[in-house]
Amino acid sequence: QLVQSGPEVKKPGASVKVSCKASGYTFASSYIAWVRQAPGQGLEWLGCVSPNSGLTDYAQRVQDRITLTGHTSTKTAYMELRSLRSDDTAVYYCARGWRQDSFDTWGQGTQVTVSS
Amino acid sequence: QSALTQPASVSGSPGQSITLSCSGASIDFADSKYVSWYQQHPGRAPKLMISDVTTRPSGVSTRFSGSKSGNMAYLTISGLQAEDEATYYCTSYTDRTVVFGGGTKLTVL
């Protein structure tokens, strides 16, 4: 199970940090990906982190503004997105994968709204 | 990485079989064995239906099957049911990056 933190409202230029707490499986053995969905739009992969090694991969579109981390001691992954813009308004999902290519368990989603 | 193209919408009647398509322009997609399909109902998180082109995760109905030929991937749903009405997304993984298709909204008439 993956449980995400609550909704956020931020002003343009601010940062947001969303958490994703895992339970019921060996967190260190998995990957955690982050995917977002803007209102009425499709899914967009943002990146992936290996909590065990700290290895990260990022989508080119956000790679200069995003940091993904995973803490095996607390079984919690984090996504931080900086320099927020209005088009970052979306539901952000964390998802578990046993490899980096597919994700079999998803969090409930976190609404992030960027508005002045 | 190139985009994946899916038709915006398809429709079918209960009991019918329907095939959703996903087209990738790059040779990486044509060679890729890492194609997945997700189902998403409105307001819900996505659900993995197929991975590795053809592998159905535990708990996913056997009515769902995946295939691939060249630069086209397919998700076939047999015995269409009302609960299958959802948006379906294909993905491809190459060069340490996941790309989502634009999604196909399936309507069950």
Side-chain angles (χ1 to χ4, degrees):
Chain A
Q1 186 182 6
L2 299 175
V3 178
Q4 299 183 222
S5 50
E8 302 267 10
V9 179
K10 298 291 183 181
K11 294 192 181 302
S15 298
V16 68
K17 193 168 187 177
V18 180
S19 67
C20 171
K21 185 166 178 61
S23 63
Y25 74 97
T26 306
F27 182 68
S29 299
S30 71
Y31 294 87
I32 297 291
W34 290 84
V35 175
R36 72 181 177 182
Q37 187 167 37
Q41 302 300 309
L43 301 170
E44 179 184 14
W45 179 85
L46 299 178
C48 186
V49 59
S50 165
N52 188 46
S53 68
L55 181 72
T56 54
D57 294 305
Y58 297 126
Q60 194 170 14
R61 184 179 174 192
V62 296
Q63 64 181 5
D64 295 334
R65 301 191 292 128
I66 193 171
T67 300
L68 301 182
T69 55
H71 300 273
T72 55
S73 59
T74 59
K75 296 187 177 183
T76 303
Y78 297 91
M79 181 214 63
E80 181 181 32
L81 191 61
R82 301 176 293 278
S83 301
L84 289 168
R85 313 184 291 239
S86 58
D87 63 353
D88 291 318
T89 293
V91 175
Y92 287 74
Y93 294 101
C94 63
R96 179 194 74 181
W98 298 111
R99 303 184 317 224
Q100 292 143 297
D101 63 288
S102 63
F103 319 113
D104 62 358
T105 300
W106 292 66
Q108 81 277 21
T110 296
Q111 176 68 52
V112 174
T113 302
V114 183
S115 174
S116 55
Chain B
Q1 191 173 25
S2 299
L4 300 179
T5 301
Q6 300 182 249
S9 63
V10 296
S11 62
S13 301
Q16 184 182 358
S17 287
I18 196 161
T19 297
L20 281 59
S21 64
C22 172
S23 171
S26 75
I27 194 169
D28 288 338
F29 181 75
D31 293 341
S32 177
K33 58 182 178 179
Y34 298 118
V35 175
S36 299
W37 290 88
Y38 296 85
Q39 175 193 66
Q40 187 181 35
H41 289 106
R44 304 292 298 275
K47 176 185 177 183
L48 179 65
M49 305 303 284
I50 297 287
S51 64
D52 298 334
V53 180
T54 61
T55 301
R56 198 171 41 248
S58 174
V60 172
S61 171
T62 56
R63 298 186 298 106
F64 291 83
S65 62
S67 62
K68 186 169 177 284
S69 177
N71 68 336
M72 297 291 295
Y74 303 96
L75 175 70
T76 299
I77 309 171
S78 61
L80 206 57
Q81 299 178 1
E83 67 204 47
D84 299 332
E85 183 163 297
T87 300
Y88 293 84
Y89 296 90
C90 62
T91 70
S92 176
Y93 176 75
T94 54
D95 294 331
R96 297 172 59 177
T97 299
V98 173
V99 174
F100 278 90
T104 296
K105 181 174 171 54
L106 169 64
T107 300
V108 180
L109 302 171

